[in-house]
Amino acid sequence: MSTLSHSHVMPTYSNLPIFLSHGQGVWVWDEAGRKYLDGLAGIAVNTLGHNHPRLVAAITDQARSLIHCSNLYKVRNQETLADRLTAIAGMDNVFFCNSGLEANEAALKIARKYGHERGIDRPEIIVYENAFHGRSIATLSATGNAKVQKGFEPLVEGFVRVPLNDLAAVEAIARTHQSVAAVFIEAIQGEGGINPARIEYLQGLRRLCDERGWLLMIDEVQCGMGRTGRWFAHQWADIVPDVMPLAKGLASGVPIGAVLARGAAAAVFKPGNHGTTFGGNPLATRAALETLATIEADGLMRNAERIGAQIREGLLAGLSERQGFVEIRGRGLMLGLELDVPCGELVQAALDLPGEHGMLINVTQERVVRLLPPLIMNSREADQLVAGLVQIISEFLARQHPHAH
Ligand SMILES: *Cc1c(COP(=O)(O)O)cnc(C)c1O
């Protein structure tokens, strides 16, 4: 077993000094035997929590029959999953890959080729301040965070950046730029601090994209798959995108990515334009099919909406009068609690919560406590999460603002 001080893993994460070994439902245990309430789901990945009997049975069964065969052959599970995803999204077809950045990379390629087909020599894509789309060279260039980009210049060109929720800024680009092919937006920014695109804003973008012949590409990698109480967060705005990347929660922890397309965007890729060795393999697509079926059978979208509201109300009741509390944003089980000071130390405080269990949470943008629990969390577990959070955040804020009460 490698020790922490002699790890041969590249230090791309300054990760916490525990090894998680197994889980059950919304609970996980580390190698030392301490138990944690999972408020993060591996960053919105473990949709069905841990050791879900349906998922484990499906993966086991699939492993016995066929794990991989390449896209040189038709993959039955891939066809079935494409049928299901296009039906729930109201879109036309799907390209499968293995991660969020790959889904976004495919979306960017679709946008560029769509632009070229419309006679645009150097297509441009409108992207957002504080956006996060991944860490490949193209997706980090689309990302609106200098820390993600620093050291990897030259960036990929062809992106025009605007602030979120400011339709006039996009209209101004429409007047001054002739080469726009697409708008690329997260329905709710995740890494950027849980910043929802407003409903009217998404509807305004849809209208503008229709008028201009631009593709509306909505990155649902983090906010999609039932987490907000609808299959996809943009569905709260009653719109349909032209291109939609998915990943994270799609197969409850088995790596997978997908990009859905509709209309002209669905006809862009021809044989030879894009590809992947692992993408859409029988194992990952089986795990995704079982995830979708379980979300539906167990009413997990309704649960996400209800438990999310419970957590939000509990946190507001316990913390909103505290000096240093700013606001809670998000929808369903995608919540961000903003404080007025950097609060990264809360992650360790959550692990070390006094009593019989700790908690797994995350802090993003330095001041935003991010919660992304599994969609199976029940009301009692939500109460436990709220109680632990109110305790550590109250203590933290009391230290930061010693003269407040
Ligand atoms: C996590 C994330 C990505 C990148 O996904 P990876 O699987 O880490 O490549 C892209 N977009 C959004 C919105 C994300 O949250």
Side-chain angles (χ1 to χ4, degrees):
M1 202 182 293
S2 71
T3 63
L4 292 168
S5 47
H6 294 99
S7 176
H8 291 107
V9 176
M10 262 191 211
T12 54
Y13 284 80
S14 45
N15 41 24
L16 295 153
I18 58 169
F19 287 93
L20 297 172
S21 60
H22 62 287
Q24 180 62 50
V26 297
W27 299 94
V28 287
W29 285 260
D30 68 17
E31 287 180 353
R34 181 158 163 85
K35 179 181 174 184
Y36 304 89
L37 178 55
D38 188 355
L40 191 59
I43 319 183
V45 169
N46 302 101
T47 305
L48 304 182
H50 305 277
N51 194 24
H52 193 288
R54 281 190 63 162
L55 183 71
V56 172
I59 293 172
T60 307
D61 177 64
Q62 190 61 50
R64 286 203 187 94
S65 37
L66 192 66
I67 293 175
H68 175 86
C69 61
S70 98
N71 288 304
L72 299 175
Y73 311 95
K74 292 232 173 264
V75 177
R76 179 62 66 193
N77 293 345
Q78 199 179 114
E79 302 285 334
T80 313
L81 181 58
D83 292 347
R84 291 286 296 119
L85 286 174
T86 52
I88 62 178
M91 299 179 73
D92 293 330
N93 58 15
V94 191
F95 172 82
F96 290 107
C97 50
N98 309 287
S99 66
L101 82 79
E102 282 178 69
N104 285 337
E105 190 81 22
L108 297 174
K109 282 181 69 174
I110 289 173
R112 281 201 170 178
K113 190 153 183 293
Y114 171 82
H116 282 285
E117 284 168 4
R118 292 166 53 89
I120 303 173
D121 277 345
R122 303 179 69 78
E124 291 181 299
I125 299 168
I126 295 177
V127 292
Y128 286 82
E129 292 170 7
N130 295 313
F132 182 82
H133 296 297
R135 289 171 176 278
S136 67
I137 296 287
T139 57
L140 75 80
S141 301
T143 288
N145 180 339
K147 272 195 262 175
V148 171
Q149 298 173 334
K150 192 168 164 19
F152 302 107
E153 301 86 351
L155 301 180
V156 170
E157 54 188 308
F159 295 109
V160 192
R161 202 168 301 282
V162 294
L164 185 62
N165 288 326
D166 178 357
L167 202 60
V170 183
E171 283 162 348
I173 301 286
R175 283 191 298 274
T176 52
H177 291 62
Q178 302 312 308
S179 299
V180 175
V183 178
F184 190 29
I185 184 172
E186 296 158 84
I188 302 176
Q189 289 183 340
E191 307 304 303
I194 313 294
N195 308 312
R198 281 201 295 272
I199 296 225
E200 321 81 67
Y201 181 76
L202 287 174
Q203 292 168 342
L205 278 186
R206 181 66 276 177
R207 230 175 2 255
L208 200 56
C209 285
D210 287 339
E211 283 164 18
R212 297 275 159 173
W214 300 345
L215 299 180
L216 178 56
M217 311 205 298
I218 305 188
D219 181 346
E220 292 262 357
V221 166
Q222 189 163 152
C223 57
M225 298 320 300
R227 178 158 291 283
T228 66
R230 298 272 178 97
W231 282 117
F232 308 110
H234 70 261
Q235 290 177 331
W236 289 102
D238 283 320
I239 57 162
V240 185
D242 301 296
V243 176
M244 176 173 67
L246 297 175
K248 290 198 165 88
L250 175 53
S252 282
V254 179
I256 189 170
V259 62
L260 280 73
R262 182 173 72 100
V268 168
F269 279 166
K270 311 276 189 314
N273 286 147
H274 200 49
T276 166
T277 298
F278 290 123
N281 67 72
L283 184 72
T285 45
R286 176 75 180 270
L289 280 167
E290 203 62 29
T291 299
L292 290 172
T294 308
I295 290 173
E296 231 164 21
D298 294 353
L300 295 183
M301 286 186 275
R302 222 177 325 115
N303 191 63
E305 199 178 351
R306 198 168 52 87
I307 298 298
Q310 180 188 334
I311 293 172
R312 174 197 295 268
E313 283 154 23
L315 292 175
L316 281 172
L319 294 169
S320 62
E321 301 299 314
R322 289 256 163 205
Q323 183 167 357
F325 171 91
V326 177
E327 64 174 347
I328 298 182
R329 295 185 293 267
R331 226 187 237 281
L333 289 176
M334 180 170 188
L335 295 171
L337 187 159
E338 181 171 345
L339 303 180
D340 69 348
V341 284
C343 61
E345 67 191 72
L346 286 171
V347 173
Q348 184 68 48
L351 292 180
D352 297 339
L353 183 70
E356 63 215 41
H357 69 83
M359 302 181 298
L360 307 184
I361 62 165
N362 176 254
V363 168
T364 188
Q365 294 292 313
E366 295 187 345
R367 300 187 295 124
V368 181
V369 177
R370 178 168 52 161
L371 301 174
L372 301 161
L375 305 195
I376 57 161
M377 181 170 276
N378 68 30
S379 180
R380 207 172 63 82
E381 294 155 347
D383 279 344
Q384 290 174 280
L385 184 66
V386 168
L389 285 166
V390 168
Q391 180 181 337
I392 60 169
I393 295 170
S394 300
E395 286 170 8
F396 171 78
L397 287 176
R399 284 196 302 279
Q400 299 297 317
H401 300 283
H403 304 299
H405 49 258

